[in-house]
Amino acid sequence: MAVRQPSPFWTPEDVAEWLLDLGPGFVGATENVLAQEVTGADLVMLDDADLRELGIEAKEDRAVVLGVVSDMFEAHGTKVAPGAIVVELEPPVTRTVPSTAGGSEVRTS
């Protein structure tokens, strides 16, 4: 089963569900994620100690979360380090723009 790539636009419920999908080592963290209202955008601000406080006990499990979250933000065009603060993220935008060369339309993002 493939695990979904996290999104900075996720609600706390989405984050909790994603953690459950990662495996049994994350079950204890889901209640804390919901209680503390951790969103997808908040994930990038979490470091190893924060993940431990959320209830992710195994160091290997915390490393998985930190790696996947870093990949997520790089996929959205933002390079981050664990514990970094991201001020603003915008959802990817795709729009159709008429071609000036009289040809077909061009898609931009």
Side-chain angles (χ1 to χ4, degrees):
M1 177 177 140
V3 176
R4 295 179 298 156
Q5 181 72 12
S7 168
F9 310 103
W10 278 0
T11 65
E13 292 78 13
D14 295 325
V15 173
E17 182 180 325
W18 172 71
L19 287 173
L20 288 174
D21 290 345
L22 289 178
F26 301 93
V27 171
T30 58
E31 286 184 26
N32 294 328
V33 163
L34 293 171
Q36 295 182 31
E37 299 183 357
V38 177
T39 66
D42 294 329
L43 288 175
V44 74
M45 294 184 282
L46 302 178
D47 60 18
D48 190 73
D50 295 325
L51 294 175
R52 193 177 310 120
E53 286 181 25
L54 283 173
I56 302 173
E57 300 296 331
K59 183 175 184 167
E60 297 81 16
D61 290 341
R62 293 191 305 273
V64 166
V65 171
L66 292 173
V68 172
V69 168
S70 179
D71 291 346
M72 165 189 66
F73 279 86
E74 286 183 22
H76 283 272
T78 305
K79 295 205 180 234
V80 296
I85 297 175
V86 175
V87 177
E88 181 178 329
L89 284 175
E90 294 182 13
V93 176
T94 302
R95 58 185 162 256
T96 302
V97 180
S99 171
T100 57
S104 60
E105 297 179 336
V106 178
R107 294 184 67 79
T108 63
S109 52

